[in-house]
Each structure stands twice: as structure tokens, then as C-alpha cells.
Amino acid sequence: MAKPVILAVDDDPNVLEAVVQDLRRKYGAEYRVLRAGSGQAGLDISRQLQERGDAVALYLSDQRMPGMSGVEFLERAQTLYPEARRALLTAYADTEAAIRAINSARIHYYLTKPWDPPEQQFYPVIDDLLVSWKQGYRPPFEGLKVIGPRWTLMDHQVRDFLSRNQVPYLWLDPERDEQATQLLRKHALDDRKLPVVIFPDGSSMAQPDLHSLAEKVGLRTQAKAEYYDVVVVGAGPAGLGAAVYAASEGLSTLILEPEAPGGQAGSSSRIENYLGFPSGITGADLARRAHTQATRFGAEFLTQRASGLRAEGQYRFIQMADGREVSCRVCLLALGVRYRKLDAPGIESLTGKGVYYGAALVEARSCSDEDVYIVGGANSAGQAAMHFSKFARRVTMLVRGDSLESSMSKYLIDQIAATSNIEVETHTRVVEARGEERLTSLRLETPQGEETREASALFIFIGAAPQTDWLPPAILRDMNGFVLTGPDLRLQGSLPESWKEDRDPFLLETSMSGVFAAGDVRHGSVKRAATAVGEGAIAVQFVHQYLARY
């Protein structure tokens, strides 16, 4: 972004040169110092700066100029840059006129010529004027801009993807922001093909798929090598924990993650029972720190989805969604889980249009002064309720059971009870979501019977569903799709026929030797972030034992 401008105006070339030199000597590193030889020239320069979107911080104008006085110039410049500071340069004889101009033309200050030394007579005044301007100045955002209506699934997916990958962006809703319309017109973009992502170099992508968007914003989508010691599938807490320990212990490590580091925990607004963070930490911040830590040790991250897994001898091959493959000696499945779908009319068609799975923190500020509903009674639902209570008029938690005690940590229960705009309704479920273009109301089944309530946002946190359909039959799972490991592989007292090794599986090893599982995707795991990190770290120890044998 161009530096803010200080514009000096004087018809005397010698005086103007002296003013400019003094300004550049003190402020040239932070500001562009421009000059104009008349009031009209100053206005012309100001209009050109305005067209380019540049900022003017300060006007310094001589009072006695032919054609247009300094006061007149500053009055007219105010219409172009009303927030710029305005100072008048006067001779001693003009001080009374300058004082009157402060009142009539709202000039901020006047300076008498000459000043010497500037360190005492000039710079302190300019410092005060620039500090005053900075306090109210908001520089234009020059990063990514996402233009899309709030109530569309693709717009939500794009914003959620960028947010969770720590990519700064400015979101503009064309239904509410005039700037969105201006940008679409400026870049000759079709307002029927939203969302649109506009990049700092002026290029754009309309209705982008997330893989292409990942490449454009600089996320790695192709592996540097064809072979790794360890490939970790999934970058939730378990995958990140494994990545840190594997890479720090000298194993070449690749992590595949189709969305963003952190997994389900990454969308938590605040985790307060994680060891070492007495004030709590957001899931996104925890994921960012772990990602940085693993990268520092040499782990490589790819924004890719795994779509297949096969074994050939002592090597394991992971196929990715783009058709490429990577090979490794050991594969660790840290796939995590997704929230189960809520089976009720209207839910599917309104997903992304007021109905969301998980915390969807990118929607929080959009829910300002609205009524938000949350389905679920576990920690993730409680954390979301506390976060949304900072923005929403009212947050209502819909719980099918008797209370929160059986499924939520006590510290969250106490916080919810102490928050005035959170209500917990037990024995209540969603029967139907209603709305055409977006969610407008919910039909609920309550202890008092069915009732309909207005609603603009529904966030769903019900149960866990592993994403393991893509795994080969050789990797055994329970009836719900969770991966069986270690002792759990002894079905009816014996190991499965597919197990060909002359040893028992390691504790976290699956029914395919050399493939391990950790975290929420594993059958019998404890669904907590700290436990998942621990399993990821433990899995690396078994990886070393496996590699020592083969």
C-alpha cells in the first residue's frame, strides 16, 4: 500500500522547497511528501490521489497565494479528504486572520514563518497533527476480498476455508455493502456467479473449488517428494501431535489435510481445560501453534484429500483426490470425525444458508443481535454457545436429554448458567427447518408440545461420524465406521485372517500392518483434544518399533 501523503502548497518556490525538505527529513520514511505551487494545483493533485485510493494525512498551505488563498484551498480540500489534518502557513502579520480561519474553516492549526530551528518550532506541531490523524485512520485492506451473499453454502465454505487456514480476507456482502458492487463493476465480474475471490494482484476466481483456491493462496497441494518415512492422514490434534513428534525425531513426515489444520477442535471458540493454557486457547490458535511447530521440525503439509490406500510389500501407497500418489513406510490415520447429520425436513436444503455443522465461527459476527439456536449438549456445543453469546441477542441450546451434566464439563456448565443471554431447553428437538432462500424459523418438539420460532441461525453438534468409507476392506472397522486397532482386532479371541504377521498388532496398529490410527477415528478413543494429541505422540513410538523390525 502507498504511504499516506503530506501535501505542501506554496506559490514561493524557495519557501516551498524549504518546507518540503524539512518534512522529508523527519517524515519521509513513513509518508510521501508532495508539493504544489498553487491552490488549484493542490486540488488537482488531491483529486488524482483520491482516484487512486491514496490517503492524505496532512495539508500544509501558505495563506497568501494568488488566485486562491490558503484558507480557501483548505476548505475545498476538506471536501476531498475530510479526515486529513489542515494547517495554515502564515506571516506574523496574518496571525489574526489565521485564528479566525480556525473557527470559520475548521483549520486544525497555523504556523508562522519562518521557523528555526524546526525541532522546536515545527516538528512538535506536525507530530501532534499526524498522531491525531492516525487515531482515526483505517488503512484500506489490501489482501484477499471475498464477495458473496451471506445466505449461500459456497460463500460460507470459502470463508470458512480461508479463516481456518489463517488467510486474512475482507468479506463483502453485495446485499449490504456498496463496496462489493463497486469492486464487481471495477473488475468486470458477473454478479450472478458468486462468491468471487479478488486477489491483491487484481486477478479473481468466481465460485472457486477449494483445491484451486488453496493453490492460489499459496497452500501446498503437491508433495515435494514421492517417498516419506511417515504419511499422516488428517491434521487434527492427533495428526498434529504425531507430526511434531515424528518430524522432531528425524522421520521424513508428510501430512495430508483437505481443509485446515485443527480438525474439529480447530473450530472451537475456546478450549479451557487443555494443559498449559490456564486462560484457555482457541482451537484455531492451538492448531496454528502446532502447525508452526511441526513445520519448524521439517514436517510437510499438503492441502489434499486422501482417497485410497494400498499396501505393496513393505510400502504403503496413499492416493490423493487429484490422482497423485505418495508412498511411505508407515501411514498414520488421524482422520478425526465429523458431526452427524441432523435428520429433519429442511435441514439439508438450508445447510450453509443459516444451518451449520460445528461452530462456524466465521458466522459469529453476522449473528449480531439475532436469535441463535444450538443443537447438542457436549463440550463443543457449550463452547460455541459461550462464543455466540458475545454477539447474538439470545442463544438457545436445544438438548434432547435431561440436562447437560452427563455430557459437558462442569466449568462450561457453570459458565453457561452465569451467562444471561443463554437458555438451555431440555427434552427438546428440531422437527423441521423452514425458509426459502435462508433459514427463517424452526419447528420444535418441546415438553409443552410443538411450536414454531423465528430463527436465523442453527448450529448443530450431534455425535461423531468417522470419514472412513474410502479405506480398503483390509482395514477393519466397527459397525459405526471407527477403525479397530491393537487388542480390539482380536475378534472372538483371534486375529483376523488378513493379518499375516508373526506378531500381535501394536497397540495403535490397524489390521493392515504398518498402518496406525490415532485420535477420534479410532474405536474406543476418548473424544478430547489432549487425548488425541497424546495418541498421536504414542503412535510415533510404535512407528519406531515397526521401522526397527522391517
Side-chain angles (χ1 to χ4, degrees):
M1 186 178 67
K3 297 177 185 177
V5 169
I6 297 175
L7 179 58
V9 183
D10 200 311
D11 66 314
D12 186 328
N14 293 327
V15 174
L16 184 59
E17 178 64 22
V19 171
V20 168
Q21 289 302 319
D22 282 347
L23 289 170
R24 285 179 176 167
R25 185 164 56 251
K26 176 73 183 288
Y27 307 105
E30 192 174 352
Y31 296 88
R32 279 189 299 157
V33 179
L34 303 182
R35 69 181 77 197
S38 68
Q40 186 58 53
L43 292 176
D44 292 341
I45 291 173
S46 297
R47 293 190 185 97
Q48 293 170 10
L49 293 170
Q50 188 181 55
E51 289 175 1
R52 292 203 299 261
D54 294 340
V56 174
L58 172 65
Y59 287 109
L60 277 174
S61 177
D62 184 52
Q63 167 60 6
R64 292 192 178 187
M65 295 187 295
M68 184 184 300
S69 70
V71 170
E72 185 182 355
F73 163 72
L74 293 174
E75 285 179 327
R76 294 175 65 176
Q78 182 184 0
T79 63
L80 298 173
Y81 285 96
E83 302 303 323
R85 304 295 98 172
R86 298 175 297 282
L88 196 65
L89 305 178
T90 70
Y92 182 77
D94 294 326
T95 54
E96 289 189 12
I99 293 171
R100 288 196 299 271
I102 290 175
N103 296 323
S104 62
R106 294 197 294 178
I107 292 171
H108 296 100
Y109 211 88
Y110 75 91
L111 289 155
T112 57
K113 301 182 293 185
W115 46 76
D116 188 39
E119 288 75 15
Q120 295 178 15
Q121 307 296 330
F122 184 61
Y123 293 148
V125 174
I126 303 302
D127 286 344
D128 286 345
L129 291 171
L130 292 176
V131 167
S132 175
W133 174 78
K134 280 183 178 179
Q135 290 175 347
Y137 174 60
R138 296 294 180 267
F141 181 79
E142 297 209 340
L144 272 68
K145 297 180 178 67
V146 178
I147 300 176
R150 175 186 174 187
W151 308 110
T152 58
L153 176 59
M154 186 175 289
D155 176 73
H156 166 72
Q157 290 173 335
V158 166
R159 290 188 289 118
D160 189 59
F161 177 80
L162 293 173
S163 296
R164 296 186 61 194
N165 279 287
Q166 310 289 322
V167 179
Y169 68 93
L170 174 67
W171 174 53
L172 299 168
D173 186 342
E175 297 177 0
R176 298 185 300 178
D177 299 304
E178 177 61 27
Q179 187 182 354
T181 305
Q182 294 172 357
L183 283 170
L184 290 173
R185 190 180 304 117
K186 176 181 176 181
H187 292 272
L189 297 170
D190 189 345
D191 61 5
R192 295 168 298 179
K193 295 182 178 179
L194 299 178
V196 167
V197 181
I198 300 175
F199 300 93
D201 62 3
S203 62
S204 62
M205 296 177 71
Q207 298 181 340
D209 67 87
L210 298 186
H211 181 79
S212 300
L213 182 58
E215 289 184 326
K216 182 68 176 178
V217 299
L219 300 177
R220 183 174 291 278
T221 60
Q222 296 185 29
K224 294 180 181 178
E226 296 181 356
Y227 168 81
Y228 296 84
D229 293 326
V230 181
V231 172
V232 180
V233 183
L240 290 169
V244 168
Y245 280 90
S248 68
E249 293 170 11
L251 298 175
S252 60
T253 306
L254 176 71
I255 304 95
L256 305 181
E257 170 56 51
E259 295 177 0
Q264 200 177 79
S267 64
S268 295
S269 56
R270 183 153 295 273
I271 303 171
E272 297 193 52
N273 58 354
Y274 194 89
L275 183 67
F277 294 93
S279 299
I281 185 171
T282 67
D285 194 23
L286 184 65
R288 179 187 57 79
R289 292 169 183 240
H291 179 275
T292 302
Q293 192 174 16
T295 303
R296 185 169 64 87
F297 286 127
E300 180 183 341
F301 285 81
L302 283 193
T303 304
Q304 281 279 8
R305 185 180 302 278
S307 59
L309 173 62
R310 60 187 174 88
E312 287 187 12
Q314 299 304 317
Y315 297 94
R316 306 293 172 260
F317 293 82
I318 298 92
Q319 186 177 39
M320 297 176 287
D322 66 356
R324 295 184 176 91
E325 276 191 339
V326 290
S327 61
C328 57
R329 293 285 300 282
V330 176
C331 177
L332 173 63
L333 302 175
L335 302 168
V337 294
R338 293 181 181 271
Y339 292 108
R340 294 189 183 278
K341 300 292 185 180
L342 178 62
D343 185 17
I347 292 293
E348 184 174 355
S349 63
L350 291 171
T351 297
K353 305 174 183 179
V355 175
Y356 309 96
Y357 287 91
L361 299 182
V362 296
E363 304 296 336
R365 294 189 182 277
S366 299
C367 295
S368 178
D369 296 325
E370 296 180 355
D371 291 340
V372 170
Y373 287 82
I374 291 177
V375 178
N379 276 9
S380 53
Q383 290 161 356
M386 290 301 303
H387 182 69
F388 285 114
S389 69
K390 301 172 185 176
F391 305 94
R393 177 173 55 240
R394 181 176 59 196
V395 178
T396 303
M397 298 187 68
L398 306 177
V399 182
R400 298 188 66 169
D402 297 330
S403 67
L404 298 174
E405 274 73 10
S406 62
S407 55
M408 188 178 292
S409 298
K410 188 176 186 304
Y411 81 90
L412 270 175
I413 295 175
D414 293 342
Q415 288 180 359
I416 289 169
T419 305
S420 61
N421 64 333
I422 299 180
E423 298 179 12
V424 179
E425 298 188 17
T426 58
H427 300 290
T428 302
R429 68 185 185 92
V430 176
V431 177
E432 182 184 9
R434 294 174 173 173
E436 296 297 329
E437 300 297 323
R438 64 179 183 87
L439 176 69
T440 56
S441 64
L442 295 171
R443 189 159 62 92
L444 305 178
E445 183 181 276
T446 73
Q448 292 74 37
E450 287 194 2
E451 58 181 89
T452 299
R453 300 185 195 170
E454 291 184 1
S456 59
L458 174 69
F459 298 90
I460 301 169
F461 303 81
I462 53 171
Q467 306 298 301
T468 56
D469 293 345
W470 62 275
L471 293 174
I475 296 181
L476 298 182
R477 285 148 277 174
D478 65 17
M479 65 177 61
N480 293 314
F482 292 94
V483 177
L484 298 172
T485 59
D488 292 325
L489 289 170
R490 285 192 170 276
L491 306 175
Q492 298 177 347
S494 61
L495 290 169
E497 293 183 4
S498 60
W499 184 259
K500 304 300 182 184
E501 306 297 325
D502 59 353
R503 61 174 177 84
D504 283 355
F506 293 118
L507 180 63
L508 298 178
E509 196 170 16
T510 71
S511 54
M512 178 183 287
S513 65
V515 177
F516 295 79
D520 290 359
V521 74
R522 190 180 64 81
H523 169 80
S525 67
V526 178
K527 305 299 187 285
R528 287 290 187 270
T531 307
V533 171
E535 286 195 10
I538 293 170
V540 174
Q541 302 310 307
F542 292 117
V543 167
H544 282 297
Q545 293 182 38
Y546 176 87
L547 292 174
R549 295 178 64 100
Y550 300 97

